[in-house]
Amino acid sequence: MTLRVRLLFAVASLCALSVAPARAAQEYDIDPAHTALYFKVSHFGYSDTHGRFNDMAGKFTIDPDPAKVAFDMTIKVKSVDTGNKTRDEHLLKPDFFNEKQYPLITFKSTAVKAADGGYDVTGDLTMHGTTKPITLALRGGKTGEFPPGIKRTGYSTTLDIKRSDFGMSKMLDGIGDDVHLSISFEGMKEPPQKK
Amino acid sequence: MPDPIQVVKALAAAAIVAALAPLLFRRPWRGARAELLSAGGAVAVGLGFLLGALVLGARLRWPPAEDQERLLLIVLPALLLVEWLGAVPQVPRWALWLLRLAFAAAMTRVLLHGTIYISDLAGPGTREWSSGKTLATCSGIGTLLFAAWVSLAAIERRSAELSLAIVACVAAVGSGLTIFFSGYFSGGLLGVTLAGALAGATLSAAISHSRPLPLAGAMRVGVGLLAALLVIGRFFGELPTGLALLLFSAPHLGWLCELPPMRRWRPWARGAIAIALSTVVVGAVVGLSARKFIAENVSSPGGGGPSAQDYLNLR
């Protein structure tokens, strides 16, 4: 092989290697065992009452193109847990969440922008029959396989909302209007089943 | 905890409006038709109840999305329309009772519209009741309400005129307190405004020159609203079914006074016994639910936590 042919072959190989194959979108199912949504709200100004929702499910899609990234989550209101059964039952009544009328809290993304360390996700939060746009600053995105064969990634964020914006405006003089949310979730992607 | 001042304002607003509204239907210079006065009393209770609810902060949105909105925007107007038709001479009595039957049959279904009892709100197959259970529950409650109206019409002829109204007020206050202690605070306060409206309408009738007292329409609306409140207390609060039934039966305890030898007593004596019986039953129900509320919500005074009185005084 002449030197010119070898050179041409080397350049052609380099060009072929530099065009990396496109990464497909990764769809994940929420892993409920490693997902948590905590909230805290003022109790008559003395301290904050803390609680969580124990039942959160959903899917999300991660893609190199942020326009294709999407999040769709559902929380069962009945899973509210403040560590006090009587208080939990009161929270489910019409004075607060009105679980018989609005059993689910949902979040569906509408726009996603890449951010340093994650994404800024804008979407519709529907709670107590009212839908409002919110933006979540999701940070994280570490990927790996855990357990082996199961791809995993996760994100965390915090958010402040006013419950009165969602029609939950009873007893505002005792139970605070400002609610601080802390959300952490992981998603799992199982390998495709072999045919 | 609710603001006691706001509760008193709501009670006063309900009573004042219910007391003044019948004046729109009376002609002081000559007697008014009994049916018109009865319809006037019904409208008075309805308007007083509505105003009291608004003073308490009830929301009104269309279409109504929650139980209290359906109560105030659909159930209450329908109830008033039926009673108002009673003032129209061309409407036969049997047609009115048919309308009342239709109202009773539909009331629970309307109040539970869009809830997880009868809709798949949390996904396919998540409704809590089958179609059969929905039909049985709604028709069962409707039957109780219609029977209550029939009972009321029969006992009105034999009881002291004011005693039934007083018993209805007692039942309304007791229902409100019991719903409150079952954990549905704002729903319970509506019972207090109902009592205020009934009291106002009763006072207005008592000082009128009309005899017999034009309270039939007011009482039917009062009993209808009492049933509606107990339905929302049961299915949106945690009001036990047994307590709800006891509270609803309170206005009909006067039938016990038809047993010998009381049935020969004068109407005022039978009325007094009916009031006493109802007060004892309603008082027992309220006491039971208050005890449960305190036990579940409050630490013992010796344990360093707030007492029940501390919570009630917290402002």
Side-chain angles (χ1 to χ4, degrees):
Chain A
M1 204 182 280
T2 64
L3 180 61
R4 184 184 286 181
V5 169
R6 282 186 198 153
L7 264 171
L8 278 171
F9 182 75
V11 168
S13 302
L14 274 171
C15 288
L17 284 170
S18 70
V19 177
R23 277 172 52 201
Q26 304 288 312
E27 291 187 5
Y28 294 86
D29 290 318
I30 293 280
D31 174 10
H34 296 94
T35 292
L37 194 162
Y38 288 89
F39 62 87
K40 65 176 183 179
V41 62
S42 169
H43 176 248
F44 286 95
Y46 291 114
S47 75
D48 293 328
T49 296
H50 293 246
R52 56 179 288 165
F53 289 95
N54 292 326
D55 193 334
M56 186 166 156
K59 292 177 187 299
F60 59 95
T61 303
I62 303 298
D63 191 277
D65 179 4
K68 293 181 183 169
V69 173
F71 296 84
D72 189 347
M73 316 229 177
T74 301
I75 300 151
K76 286 195 178 155
V77 171
K78 200 163 188 171
S79 69
V80 68
D81 180 1
T82 63
N84 180 298
K85 185 170 174 286
T86 304
R87 181 168 51 215
D88 295 344
E89 286 169 358
H90 189 198
L91 287 174
L92 296 177
K93 293 197 173 68
D95 289 332
F96 293 99
F97 285 104
N98 199 354
E99 184 261 341
K100 298 294 184 195
Q101 202 78 58
Y102 313 113
L104 300 177
I105 298 170
T106 62
F107 174 78
K108 205 172 176 69
S109 62
T110 53
V112 179
K113 280 196 297 189
D116 191 23
Y119 298 101
D120 288 337
V121 180
T122 300
D124 291 330
L125 175 65
T126 300
M127 182 169 65
H128 198 256
T130 301
T131 300
K132 294 267 182 204
I134 60 168
T135 298
L136 302 174
L138 294 183
R139 298 295 178 261
K142 176 182 170 183
T143 58
E145 278 195 14
F146 179 77
I150 307 288
K151 283 192 180 167
R152 180 176 293 271
T153 189
Y155 296 88
S156 298
T157 186
T158 61
L159 177 74
D160 291 311
I161 60 170
K162 287 190 182 302
R163 62 184 179 95
S164 60
D165 287 345
F166 294 87
M168 293 165 61
S169 51
K170 297 275 187 342
M171 299 173 67
L172 285 174
D173 52 352
I175 312 301
D177 194 15
D178 296 313
V179 182
H180 181 77
L181 303 173
S182 175
I183 308 163
S184 291
F185 62 91
E186 291 182 14
M188 299 185 299
K189 177 177 158 54
E190 298 215 8
Q193 298 291 326
K194 287 185 182 171
K195 291 183 185 171
Chain B
M1 289 293 173
D3 181 356
I5 307 281
Q6 194 185 18
V7 174
V8 169
K9 281 182 185 170
L11 185 69
I16 290 168
V17 164
L20 295 177
L23 295 177
L24 297 170
F25 305 92
R26 282 188 203 135
R27 290 166 291 184
W29 56 91
R30 61 177 174 147
R33 283 189 302 116
E35 293 84 1
L36 188 61
L37 291 176
S38 177
V43 169
V45 170
L47 285 179
F49 178 72
L50 176 63
L51 184 62
L54 292 174
V55 170
L56 285 172
R59 269 200 310 186
L60 297 181
R61 289 177 298 178
W62 192 267
E66 299 190 20
D67 54 310
Q68 290 187 28
E69 291 167 347
R70 288 190 291 274
L71 170 62
L72 295 172
L73 290 173
I74 300 177
V75 172
L76 176 60
L79 189 53
L80 294 182
L81 178 65
V82 171
E83 292 307 313
W84 183 249
L85 285 173
V88 178
Q90 292 81 2
V91 178
R93 300 295 100 183
W94 62 263
L96 283 177
W97 280 103
L98 207 58
L99 283 172
R100 288 182 189 127
L101 182 64
F103 173 90
M107 182 192 75
T108 304
R109 177 59 183 84
V110 167
L111 289 172
L112 297 184
H113 181 71
T115 64
I116 59 172
Y117 292 109
I118 57 178
S119 304
D120 291 336
L121 295 180
T126 55
R127 58 184 285 174
E128 291 188 3
W129 292 354
S130 63
S131 303
K133 184 168 178 183
T134 303
L135 182 65
T137 304
C138 295
S139 56
I141 294 171
T143 303
L144 283 174
L145 174 56
F146 189 75
W149 278 333
V150 170
S151 161
L152 206 60
I155 206 168
E156 270 168 355
R157 290 191 279 273
R158 287 191 51 78
S159 292
E161 292 159 327
L162 283 179
S163 63
L164 276 177
I166 293 171
V167 163
C169 288
V170 168
V173 167
S175 299
L177 288 174
T178 308
I179 293 170
F180 183 95
F181 288 131
S182 73
Y184 185 178
F185 294 165
S186 62
L189 292 179
L190 290 180
V192 175
T193 66
L194 175 60
L198 281 167
T202 303
L203 180 66
S204 179
I207 63 175
S208 73
H209 296 298
S210 305
R211 289 294 179 273
L213 294 179
L215 282 173
M219 286 298 298
R220 276 193 293 271
V221 168
V223 167
L225 288 175
L226 180 66
L229 281 177
L230 290 171
V231 164
I232 70 173
R234 169 64 185 84
F235 294 111
F236 293 90
E238 288 224 339
L239 180 63
T241 304
L243 296 188
L245 288 172
L246 272 175
L247 289 164
F248 190 61
S249 67
H252 309 283
L253 290 174
W255 280 109
L256 291 174
C257 299
E258 295 304 307
L259 298 171
M262 287 184 283
R263 64 180 304 157
R264 289 207 186 96
W265 294 1
R266 290 179 189 268
W268 66 262
R270 291 204 304 274
I273 292 174
I275 292 172
L277 276 175
S278 303
T279 305
V280 164
V281 169
V282 171
V285 168
V286 173
L288 270 173
S289 48
R291 222 171 82 169
K292 186 168 178 280
F293 174 80
I294 290 166
E296 286 176 352
N297 285 279
V298 179
S299 320
S300 63
S307 67
Q309 194 57 46
D310 292 332
Y311 262 95
L312 290 170
N313 290 340
L314 186 60
R315 271 289 132 232

